[in-house]
């Protein structure tokens, strides 16, 4: 058999090679006409016992998993204990539906509601399907579908992994992950990134492969090679060894070959992420996404509870910079209590700073809590606002935050207008931080959540790079920092180009720090600028990537 290739979306840049094992298919759907024998009370008792058993099992797995996996499993356990879901299922049983079908339908209807909300909540819909499968398996008295085990290492192939599976992966056995479904923000992708597991998602066709088939998984290229040649396997093994050597390299501060400092910072989503960021050598935090405190809540959390969480994160970074972004609600992060109006184009709607201005008390409370955390710790706290359009909005946020006692106040460059007006913006802001995910979406007019336009979401596009250059130039002219905190900073080749365009710090998921550190150490500022100039002159993203490589 000669090698064939299956394409998908790579998560990170790692490589793996080995035989595949497929995840068992989910349980068959309970029959549509399943009815119970008339004893609704007994049927409900069976369901209540199954809900409780699955909830307890997930809680126990959470305790075993620790870290991010624990949070994911605890959330799933909470779903299994949700009284609204149990009520819905009981109503169906009262109507005569059998237990398994009632669970299936109750969860499916809840899942539809989440999917309709879109964005982050839609991604969580998969978690719900997994909990339903577990409850149905319990009712049937069969084993819950889960990660297969093997005495020897393997690449796990699945439709999409559920949180309960990903959280418990035995990393000594699972060399890599390939899924046929799921996007770059699915659980498979999130956990693969945080645990540095090579992964490719959305690889259509991979489920047709037989167990034991040899694969090479190249996440950087987004390619799964089926039945690779001996040379392809040897090349993959060389890259795996190279990467292992890089990861084992001593952790140093970020710097170019000529000694130019480029502080490497971490993107974090909760205070608990702080420890891992420090362990992987983050010199501070470049983006603390504070949405985790608000998502799923009906009201904003109190000043006191927010202050506790912010203080917990800041304590990991004494004397170091921690950039906290105020709440970024709307579009891919919907929050009903800030904006529940139907919007045709939520990405262009009342989101980010716009939504906070419309509910100023939420902003005031958050900044007050941050000021409290600033006073309670030795960290160097910086605050910034998302989705800022121009100097007027910058001045509003800077004045508001300074008025509440925050020392260092900046804005994110995500809307192209802000980059175009960078010289004006940096007259009033203390710094800017470029959110390349949104800056790319708005520059190319392509919704970052929409698979059909995913090819536009490429921060290598010279139009995006030219906007970064405007920001870099304005930073140099005013002597103010220009950080990068979007995903682009985690791409080592692009990180070099961004420094060449004038970025002064790079912030990324902690797992990417080692690769970026190694790449920066191999180039001088002059070389970085030459690569940036080559990329700026290219007509498209692919050409920019190639031009930078050859420069
Ligand atoms: C960005 O837009 O690049 C960014 C860092 O913010 P988020 O991904 O949270 O929108
Ligand atoms: Mg953003």
């Amino acid at each position: 058999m000669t090698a064939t290739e299956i394409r998908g979306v790579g998560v990170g840049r790692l490589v793996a090679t080995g035989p595949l094992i497929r995840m068992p298919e989910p349980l068959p759907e309970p029959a549509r006409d399943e009815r119970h024998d008339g004893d609704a009370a007994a049927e409900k008792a069976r369901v209540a016992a199954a809900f409780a058993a699955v909830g307890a099992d997930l809680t126990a797995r959470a305790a075993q998993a620790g870290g991010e996996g624990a949070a994911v499993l605890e959330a799933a356990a909470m779903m299994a204990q949700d009284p609204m879901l149990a009520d819905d299922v009981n109503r169906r049983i009262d109507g005569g539906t059998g237990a398994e079908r009632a669970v299936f339908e109750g969860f499916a209807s809840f899942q539809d509601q989440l999917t309709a909300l879109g964005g982050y909540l839609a991604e969580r819909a998969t978690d719900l399907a997994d909990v339903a499968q577990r409850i149905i398996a319990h009712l049937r008295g069969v084993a819950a579908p889960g990660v297969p085990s093997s005495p020897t290492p393997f690449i796990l192939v699945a439709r999409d992994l559920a949180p309960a599976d990903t959280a418990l992966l035995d990393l000594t056995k699972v060399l890599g992950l390939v899924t046929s479904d799921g996007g770059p923000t699915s659980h498979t992708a999130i956990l693969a990134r945080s645990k540095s597991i090579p992964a490719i998602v959305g690889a259509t066709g991979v489920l047709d492969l037989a167990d034991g088939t040899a694969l090479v998984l190249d996440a950087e290229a987004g390619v799964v090679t089926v039945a690779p040649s001996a040379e392809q396997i040897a090349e993959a093994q060389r890259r795996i060894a190279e990467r292992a050597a890089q990861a084992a390299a001593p952790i140093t501060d970020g710097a170019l070959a000529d000694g130019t400092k480029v502080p490497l910072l971490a993107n974090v989503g909760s205070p608990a992420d702080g420890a891992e960021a420090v362990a992987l050598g983050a010199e501070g935090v470049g983006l603390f996404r504070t949405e985790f405190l608000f998502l799923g809540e009906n009201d904003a959390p109190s000043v006191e509870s927010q202050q506790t969480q912010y203080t917990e994160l800041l304590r990991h970074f004494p004397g170091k910079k921690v950039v906290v972004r105020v709440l970024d609600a709307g579009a891919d992060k919907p929050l009903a209590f800030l904006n529940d109006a139907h919007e045709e184009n939520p990405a262009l709607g009342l989101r980010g700073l716009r939504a906070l201005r419309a509910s100023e008390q939420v902003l005031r409370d958050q900044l007050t809590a941050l000021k409290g955390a600033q006073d309670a710790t030795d960290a160097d706290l910086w605050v910034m606002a998302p989705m800022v359009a121009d100097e007027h909005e910058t001045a509003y946020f800077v004045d508001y935050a300074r008025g509440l006692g925050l020392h260092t106040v900046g804005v994110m460059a995500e809307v192209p207008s802000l980059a175009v007006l960078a010289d004006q913006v940096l007259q009033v802001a203390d710094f800017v931080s470029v959110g390349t995910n949104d800056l790319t979406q708005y520059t190319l007019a392509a919704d970052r959540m929409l698979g059909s336009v995913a090819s536009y979401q490429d921060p290598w596009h010279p139009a995006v790079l030219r906007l970064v250059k405007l920001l870099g130039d304005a930073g140099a002219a005013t002597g103010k920092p220009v950080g990068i905190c979007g995903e682009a900073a985690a791409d080592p080749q692009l990180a070099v180009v961004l420094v060449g365009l004038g970025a002064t710090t790079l912030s990324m998921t902690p797992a990417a720090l080692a690769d970026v550190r190694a790449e920066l150490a191999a180039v001088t500022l002059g070389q970085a600028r030459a690569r940036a100039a080559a990329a700026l002159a290219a007509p498209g993203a692919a050409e920019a990537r190639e031009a930078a490589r050859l420069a």
Side-chain angles (χ1 to χ4, degrees):
M1 186 171 162
T2 52
T4 53
E5 290 188 345
I6 297 178
R7 289 188 175 270
V9 179
V11 181
R13 307 172 59 233
L14 299 176
V15 177
T17 182
L20 76 88
I21 297 186
R22 274 177 314 174
M23 183 96 163
E25 280 298 304
L27 301 174
E29 180 181 323
R32 272 175 201 284
D33 55 0
E34 185 201 322
R35 313 285 293 170
H36 59 72
D37 61 7
D39 187 350
E43 200 72 345
K44 285 194 276 192
R46 247 166 40 84
V47 168
F51 267 79
V54 169
D57 175 53
L58 289 168
T59 308
R61 284 163 178 261
Q64 189 188 333
E68 180 152 356
V72 167
L73 286 163
E74 273 157 19
M78 272 173 65
M79 287 180 191
Q81 283 149 5
D82 186 329
M84 263 172 48
L85 257 173
D87 285 351
D88 180 307
V89 172
N90 283 340
R91 265 197 306 280
R92 290 171 200 272
I93 293 175
D94 285 334
T97 307
E100 290 174 25
R101 184 71 200 176
V103 169
F104 177 82
E105 288 177 1
F107 274 78
S109 121
F110 208 63
Q111 202 177 340
D112 286 347
Q113 292 169 31
L114 282 189
T115 307
L117 288 171
Y120 177 84
L121 292 175
E123 296 275 5
R124 301 288 78 76
T126 329
D127 311 2
L128 217 48
D130 171 61
V131 176
Q133 286 265 317
R134 287 172 188 278
I135 294 174
I136 294 170
H138 193 275
L139 287 167
R140 257 178 220 181
V142 299
V147 180
S149 59
S150 158
T152 50
F154 62 97
I155 294 178
L156 181 63
V157 167
R159 192 173 296 283
D160 195 8
L161 292 178
D165 304 321
T166 42
L168 283 185
L169 286 182
D170 176 358
L171 296 184
T172 62
K173 292 286 154 48
V174 177
L175 299 165
L177 304 172
V178 185
T179 64
S180 64
D181 297 3
T185 53
S186 62
H187 261 297
T188 308
I190 293 171
L191 284 167
R193 222 176 265 126
S194 77
K195 291 192 191 257
S196 294
I197 308 170
I200 295 185
V201 297
T204 314
V206 80
L207 292 179
D208 299 334
L209 303 173
D211 276 359
T213 308
L215 300 180
V216 167
L217 180 173
D218 180 347
E220 185 171 15
V223 171
V224 181
T225 306
V226 183
S229 64
E231 292 77 47
Q232 285 172 315
I233 293 177
E235 169 61 11
Q237 280 164 345
R238 187 194 62 72
R239 287 176 63 191
I240 293 167
E242 183 183 281
R243 156 80 202 188
Q246 246 172 35
I251 293 178
T252 52
D253 285 354
L256 301 179
D258 56 18
T260 309
K261 295 250 175 261
V262 184
L264 297 177
L265 311 170
N267 289 355
V268 298
S270 73
D273 295 344
E276 189 208 4
V278 172
L280 292 171
E283 295 166 60
V285 169
L287 169 64
F288 176 30
R289 292 184 166 101
T290 54
E291 291 74 45
F292 85 101
L293 279 168
F294 298 81
L295 282 171
E297 299 293 325
N298 294 325
D299 292 303
S302 68
V303 171
E304 294 70 34
S305 74
Q306 290 192 53
Q307 186 176 321
T308 307
Q309 303 270 353
Y310 302 146
T311 305
E312 186 184 334
L313 178 73
L314 293 182
R315 290 229 162 96
H316 287 289
F317 297 95
K320 305 251 176 76
K321 172 162 114 180
V322 176
V323 186
V324 177
R325 171 177 77 189
V326 296
L327 178 61
D328 185 18
D332 55 315
K333 313 168 190 96
L335 256 191
F337 71 82
L338 266 194
N339 178 18
D340 61 358
H342 173 74
E343 296 178 335
E344 283 297 329
N345 294 299
L348 305 182
L350 191 69
R351 59 165 299 201
L353 183 63
R354 303 167 185 188
L356 290 172
R357 282 188 92 163
S359 302
E360 212 174 59
Q361 189 61 40
V362 176
L363 177 59
R364 170 173 287 272
D365 285 353
Q366 189 172 21
L367 289 170
T368 305
L370 284 163
K371 157 82 175 139
Q374 173 182 275
D375 293 346
T377 67
D378 300 330
D380 180 16
L381 174 67
W382 296 20
V383 296
M384 64 183 182
M387 275 293 288
V388 181
D390 57 19
E391 184 267 350
H392 285 321
E393 286 192 349
T394 304
Y396 162 79
F397 181 69
V398 170
D399 291 347
Y400 199 85
R402 290 224 183 99
L404 290 169
L406 278 311
H407 301 311
T408 310
V409 187
V411 291
M412 290 183 77
E414 301 187 290
V415 185
S417 57
L418 186 120
V420 172
L421 300 173
D423 55 339
Q424 298 175 1
V425 168
L426 276 171
Q427 295 298 325
V428 286
D430 293 325
F431 68 97
V432 292
S433 179
V434 192
T436 51
N437 309 334
D438 276 314
L439 186 62
T440 307
Q441 124 162 304
Y442 294 123
T443 304
L444 277 305
D447 187 336
R448 65 192 263 197
M449 303 301 290
L450 207 57
S452 56
V453 292
S455 62
Y456 289 87
Q457 188 67 30
D458 191 335
W460 274 98
H461 198 286
V464 178
L465 301 181
R466 288 184 188 207
L467 291 175
V468 176
K469 177 159 178 8
L470 289 176
L471 291 154
D473 289 349
T478 52
K480 292 186 176 173
V482 175
I484 311 282
C485 66
E487 288 299 311
D491 169 343
Q493 275 71 35
L494 186 48
V496 168
V497 167
L498 294 168
V499 170
L501 294 171
T504 52
T505 59
L506 300 170
S507 188
M508 65 206 73
T509 177
L513 287 165
D515 281 352
V516 172
R517 186 182 293 120
E519 192 67 29
L520 293 181
V523 293
T524 62
L525 186 56
Q527 288 168 326
R529 287 185 175 148
R531 290 191 200 179
L536 283 177
E543 294 92 339
R545 199 180 270 113
E546 185 61 7
R549 194 176 69 80
L550 298 174

